[in-house]
Amino acid sequence: MYIGRFVIVGPDVAAYRVSSRSFPNRQILDRGDTLTVAPTPDAPETENPYVEYNCVRVLADPASAVLGNGSHVDPIAEKLDLGYPPRDALVSGLFALDYEKDDYDTPRIAGVVGEDAYIGIVRRDALIVEQVSEPTLVATYEKDRPESYPFDPASAEEAAAAALNAEFEHPVAAAGLVRTDDGYEVAIKD
């Protein structure tokens, strides 16, 4: 089953996976506290604004992390930096940028991990944001409502590998994140 890009958010663990039929020549680059989805060196040039974006931002104060499938990750992180509660930051970022205005009306998905964890989606017909107490998945297609998902990795590397190797079609790359006593551990799998 093809569900497109997806996020999994739990209280102390999260993952984001790029899945694509149209633009499979992408990778996730580590830029310190930011992970960025970008074309691989051999990818054909494109004017598509949805191909490159920050997919993970880790914040020091308040200690939290944002994951998502597009440019809305940055304003959500900025709202958290300004002291917004996680739910409000997620709602405002998703609402402001709305679903992608592409041929598929692709939803925007995002999650926040911190003292409280939230997951959300904005589709053409709805904006849904929920607090999570167990690992929860939301995807751009088919699984476009938050739902419980079995996910119990012990490390960020295991989280990234589990997301990349999940049963869903057309995997490209994944990022995993685990909250620790010292902040966040992140990992990438291509």
Side-chain angles (χ1 to χ4, degrees):
M1 171 191 308
Y2 181 65
I3 65 169
R5 275 111 15 244
F6 63 84
V7 294
I8 303 166
V9 176
D12 295 315
V13 63
Y16 172 70
R17 185 174 101 177
V18 180
S19 307
S20 183
R21 296 178 288 208
S22 306
F23 296 100
N25 297 345
R26 287 188 277 176
Q27 60 191 331
I28 299 176
L29 304 173
D30 187 343
R31 296 184 171 160
D33 290 337
T34 302
L35 301 182
T36 303
V37 173
T40 58
D42 64 336
E45 286 192 32
T46 180
E47 298 281 325
N48 187 320
Y50 304 119
V51 170
E52 186 169 349
Y53 52 90
N54 292 332
C55 65
V56 175
R57 294 264 313 264
V58 175
L59 307 164
D61 186 26
S64 55
V66 180
L67 300 91
N69 71 322
S71 59
H72 55 289
V73 167
D74 293 326
I76 294 168
E78 290 163 10
K79 297 287 187 195
L80 289 169
D81 265 343
L82 291 171
Y84 279 58
R87 182 191 66 87
D88 295 354
L90 196 53
V91 168
S92 66
L94 290 171
F95 179 76
L97 283 149
D98 208 6
Y99 64 91
E100 295 178 359
K101 306 304 189 278
D102 60 7
D103 293 341
Y104 308 103
D105 292 338
T106 302
R108 290 183 190 266
I109 55 174
V112 174
V113 178
E115 193 164 315
D116 294 314
Y118 287 85
I119 196 165
I121 182 169
V122 62
R123 309 184 310 236
R124 184 178 184 152
D125 64 341
L127 170 61
I128 303 166
V129 173
E130 297 179 0
Q131 187 169 11
V132 300
S133 58
E134 64 181 355
T136 303
L137 176 140
V138 70
T140 55
Y141 309 115
E142 301 296 327
K143 295 186 173 287
D144 63 355
R145 297 189 71 78
E147 63 181 60
S148 177
Y149 186 77
F151 194 70
D152 189 27
S155 68
E157 189 164 314
E158 285 181 23
L164 186 65
N165 297 320
E167 63 192 62
F168 308 114
E169 296 175 350
H170 302 287
V172 174
L177 178 121
V178 172
R179 189 167 90 146
T180 69
D181 292 338
D182 299 323
Y184 291 89
E185 172 190 325
V186 296
I188 298 168
K189 289 287 183 187
D190 295 317

